[in-house]
C-alpha cells in the first residue's frame, strides 16, 4: 500500500443502480464509469442508515447509529466521538471539507482543519418534527411532485459552488506541494430532491423513454404495517400522475449526470495538477433513493434502492476489480486511516473494517447492519445483510427475509416460508450478536423523548416552522 493523499467524494441520495458502471443501460455517467474501470467497485455496499443525519454521523465516526446516538435528523453529530477527520488532523495532516456535512454546527470541533462552504442542519437543530414519530400528520409531502423537471434550484447552485471551490483547492495544493499527505472531504447535495434538474442534463433523457417506478407486488412484504405507516406519514406518491412520475424520474437521471460531470471536473483537476498518481479517490453516497418504487420516494426503507450505495475506490496500489462481499460506509473510517498511514487508535470503532482488507480477504459471511429510527417509523427498523440474505427486523412486528441472489428486486418475502425458517433464525441470531434490537429500540425512543422535553415538549415542536429538505442558507 502506498501512503498518499485521500479524497472522499460524497453524494446525497444516489442509488447504486443509477450509474453506468453498476449496470444501468440508460444513465450517462462516463466519468464515474471510468473511475470504476480503473479501481475497485464494491457491489454490496450499504449505508448505516437510510436517512441523512444518522448516516453521516456513522460515516464520520465508523460507528453504527446505536453507537453514536444520532438516531434521527434532529440528533446530529456534534464532534464526539472522534471522527476519522479528527484522527487525520491529530496526525498533522491537513483535512479539509468542502460542502454538505449535515452535522450540528461549525461551532463544534468536527475534526476538520477547515470547513469550506459547510451546510449543517438548520439552526443546529435539524428537522425536529421528526422526533414526533407517533404523529402521522407532521409532514406535507405534496410539494415533492411539484418541484420536478428542468430548471434552476439553490441545491444546484450550491453544488456548482462546491465543485468550483474543490477544483481551486486542488489547484492550490498542486501549486504548493507538501511532503505530508493531505485529506479532502467533498460533499454534494445532488441528486437529492427537489428533482429540479439543469436543462442541459434534463435534455439528456426523454421522459417517455425512462422506466416507470416498479409497483409493489403481492408477496413482497410491501404491505407490512410498518411500511404502511411510513406511507401514511410521508405519502410522496399521492400527488403524482404517470406523466409527472416520468418527469421526476428523468430529472433524477439528469441529476445523476450532473453529479458525474462535477466529479469529472475534480478528476481533471487532479490529473492536470499531477496529483492523480499520489491520491486515492473514494466515491460514494450517504444513502439511496426509492424514486417511486413500491410507492415510496426518498429513502427511509430497507429495500435495496434506499440502503444500497455505490462505492468506488481508486488510487495507487488498488487493482481494478469488482467485489461482491458486503461492506458498510462505516468502513471509511479505518480505510482512510490506513491510506494515510495512521495507526488505529485504542478507541477504534468495533465493527468497521478497512476496505483495503476487504480487497485482500473478502468476507461474504460478514454481517452488515443498517438502522432507521426517524419519523414515520412506529418501531425501529433493522436490516442485516450477510451472504445473499437480507433480514429486516421490526421489534414487535413480523420480520422480513429476502434472497438477493435469486430475487435481487426483493419481490418475495420469505420470512413466513417454513422452508426458510432455519435461514430466518440464523439471520436473526446474527443480528442479535451485534445488538439487542428491543433494547436499542427502547433506547432510541427514550433519547428522543428526552430531546422532545429539552425542546419544550410536543406542543412546542408542533408550533415550530417545518421544512421539506435542509435549506441552503
Amino acid at each position: 500500500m502506498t501512503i498518499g493523499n485521500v479524497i472522499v467524494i460524497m453524494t446525497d441520495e444516489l442509488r447504486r443502480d443509477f450509474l453506468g458502471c453498476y449496470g444501468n443501460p440508460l444513465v450517462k455517467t462516463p466519468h464515474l464509469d471510468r473511475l470504476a474501470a480503473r479501481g475497485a467497485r464494491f457491489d454490496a455496499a450499504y449505508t448505516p442508515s437510510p436517512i441523512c443525519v444518522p448516516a453521516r454521523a456513522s460515516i464520520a465516526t465508523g460507528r453504527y447509529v446505536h453507537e453514536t446516538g444520532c438516531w434521527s435528523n434532529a440528533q446530529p453529530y456534534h464532534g464526539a466521538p472522534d471522527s476519522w477527520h479528527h484522527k487525520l488532523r491529530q496526525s498533522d495532516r491537513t483535512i479539509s471539507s468542502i460542502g454538505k456535512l449535515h452535522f450540528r454546527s461549525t461551532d463544534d470541533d468536527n475534526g476538520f482543519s477547515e470547513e469550506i462552504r459547510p451546510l449543517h442542519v438548520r439552526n443546529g437543530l435539524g428537522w425536529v418534527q421528526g422526533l414526533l414519530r407517533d404523529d402521522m400528520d407532521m409532514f406535507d409531502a405534496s410539494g415533492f411532485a411539484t418541484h420536478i423537471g428542468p430548471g434552476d434550484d439553490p441545491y444546484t447552485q450550491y453544488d456548482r459552488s462546491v465543485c468550483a471551490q474543490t477544483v481551486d483547492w486542488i489547484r492550490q495544493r498542486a501549486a504548493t506541494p507538501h511532503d505530508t499527505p493531505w485529506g479532502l472531504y467533498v460533499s454534494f447535495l445532488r441528486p437529492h430532491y427537489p428533482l429540479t434538474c439543469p436543462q442541459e442534463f434534463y435534455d439528456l433523457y426523454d421522459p417517455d423513454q425512462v422506466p416507470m417506478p416498479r409497483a409493489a407486488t403481492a408477496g413482497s412484504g410491501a404491505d407490512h404495517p410498518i411500511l404502511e405507516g411510513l406511507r401514511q406519514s410521508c405519502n410522496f406518491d399521492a400527488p403524482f400522475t404517470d406523466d409527472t412520475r416520468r418527469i421526476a424520474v428523468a430529472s433524477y437521471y439528469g441529476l445523476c449526470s450532473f453529479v458525474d460531470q462535477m466529479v469529472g471536473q475534480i478528476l481533471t483537476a487532479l490529473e492536470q495538477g499531477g496529483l492523480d498518481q499520489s491520491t486515492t479517490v473514494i466515491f460514494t453516497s450517504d444513502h439511496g433513493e426509492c424514486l417511486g418504487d413500491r410507492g415510496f420516494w426518498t429513502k427511509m426503507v430497507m429495500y435495496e434502492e434506499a440502503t444500497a450505495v455505490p462505492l468506488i475506490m481508486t488510487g495507487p496500489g488498488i487493482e481494478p476489480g469488482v467485489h461482491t462481499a458486503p461492506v458498510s460506509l462505516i468502513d471509511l473510517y479505518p480505510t482512510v486511516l490506513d491510506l494515510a498511514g495512521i495507526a488505529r487508535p485504542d478507541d477504534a470503532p468495533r465493527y468497521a473494517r478497512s476496505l483495503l482488507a476487504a480487497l485482500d480477504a473478502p468476507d461474504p459471511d460478514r454481517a452488515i447492519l443498517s438502522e432507521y429510527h426517524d419519523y414515520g417509523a412506529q418501531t425501529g427498523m433493522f436490516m442485516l445483510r450477510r451472504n445473499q440474505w437480507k433480514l429486516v427486523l421490526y421489534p414487535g412486528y413480523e420480520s422480513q427475509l429476502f434472497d438477493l441472489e435469486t430475487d435481487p428486486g426483493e419481490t418475495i418475502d420469505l420470512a413466513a416460508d417454513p422452508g426458510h425458517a432455519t435461514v430466518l433464525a440464523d439471520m436473526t441470531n446474527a443480528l442479535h450478536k451485534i445488538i439487542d434490537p428491543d433494547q436499542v429500540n427502547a433506547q432510541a425512543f427514550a433519547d428522543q423523548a428526552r430531546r422532545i422535553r429539552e425542546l419544550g415538549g410536543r406542543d412546542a415542536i408542533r408550533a415550530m416552522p417545518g421544512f421539506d429538505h435542509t435549506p441552503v442558507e
Side-chain angles (χ1 to χ4, degrees), residues 394-470:
Y394 310 91
Y397 295 81
E398 295 296 322
S399 296
Q400 296 177 306
L401 180 69
F402 299 97
D403 183 344
L404 297 180
E405 185 175 279
T406 61
D407 180 31
E410 298 168 287
T411 62
I412 305 171
D413 180 3
L414 300 169
D417 178 9
H420 289 84
T422 299
V423 174
L424 179 64
D426 288 345
M427 290 292 288
T428 303
N429 289 336
L431 176 64
H432 277 265
K433 289 180 180 179
I434 301 175
I435 57 168
D436 178 337
D438 292 323
Q439 187 277 326
V440 169
N441 187 45
Q443 187 64 56
F445 275 109
D447 289 352
Q448 289 168 338
R450 182 174 64 252
R451 186 61 181 144
I452 290 169
R453 292 193 297 272
E454 292 171 352
L455 293 170
R458 301 180 72 91
D459 289 342
I461 290 175
R462 292 186 69 90
M464 293 179 182
F467 54 92
D468 187 355
H469 48 275
T470 301

Side-chain angles (χ1 to χ4, degrees), residues 146-375:
T146 303
H147 301 290
I148 59 176
D152 199 10
D153 182 86
Y155 271 28
T156 300
Q157 296 168 5
Y158 178 87
D159 274 0
R160 291 190 192 279
S161 172
V162 168
C163 182
Q165 288 176 292
T166 300
V167 169
D168 286 345
W169 193 97
I170 291 171
R171 287 173 176 167
Q172 291 171 15
R173 281 278 147 181
T176 55
H178 293 73
D179 293 332
T180 304
W182 45 261
L184 179 63
Y185 179 78
V186 181
S187 184
F188 295 116
L189 290 172
R190 292 306 199 175
H192 191 290
Y193 68 93
L195 297 180
T196 306
C197 181
Q199 184 78 56
E200 63 181 296
F201 296 100
Y202 183 82
D203 288 344
L204 295 174
Y205 305 96
D206 181 351
D208 291 332
Q209 300 300 317
V210 299
M212 285 287 282
R214 294 176 294 162
T217 57
S220 67
D223 58 350
H224 192 285
I226 295 302
L227 299 182
E228 289 291 355
L230 280 170
R231 285 193 184 89
Q232 181 180 343
S233 59
C234 300
N235 196 345
F236 291 100
D237 195 58
F240 274 102
T241 65
D242 282 351
D243 286 341
T244 55
R245 284 186 183 92
R246 289 189 179 279
I247 293 171
V249 172
S251 294
Y252 186 81
Y253 269 101
L255 289 171
C256 292
S257 292
F258 171 57
V259 168
D260 179 78
Q261 190 255 9
M262 292 188 294
V263 172
Q265 292 184 53
I266 295 172
L267 298 179
T268 296
L270 284 172
E271 293 165 2
Q272 292 177 344
L275 297 173
D276 55 314
Q277 299 302 311
S278 59
T279 302
T280 298
V281 176
I282 301 174
F283 174 87
T284 190
S285 179
D286 59 351
H287 50 73
E289 159 65 61
C290 295
L291 208 65
D293 285 352
R294 310 171 217 267
F296 291 109
W297 296 81
T298 76
K299 47 271 186 180
M300 308 188 310
V301 296
M302 292 302 178
Y303 289 112
E304 291 287 280
E305 49 264 31
T307 57
V309 294
L311 180 58
I312 300 166
M313 181 169 64
T314 184
I318 297 174
E319 295 295 326
V322 177
H323 303 270
T324 59
V327 296
S328 171
L329 291 185
I330 66 171
D331 298 339
L332 293 187
Y333 182 109
T335 303
V336 173
L337 296 194
D338 283 354
L339 290 168
I342 298 172
R344 304 286 176 84
D346 293 338
D347 60 348
R350 177 180 179 184
Y351 297 106
R353 300 182 187 178
S354 175
L355 295 174
L356 299 178
L359 297 180
D360 295 333
D363 181 8
D365 198 45
R366 180 187 176 193
I368 299 294
L369 177 68
S370 188
E371 308 171 53
Y372 181 78
H373 307 275
D374 211 322
Y375 183 65

Side-chain angles (χ1 to χ4, degrees), residues 31 55 72 100 123 128 134 224 268 374:
H31 302 290
S72 72
K100 177 179 179 176
N123 299 324
V128 296
D134 295 331
H224 192 285
T268 296
D374 211 322

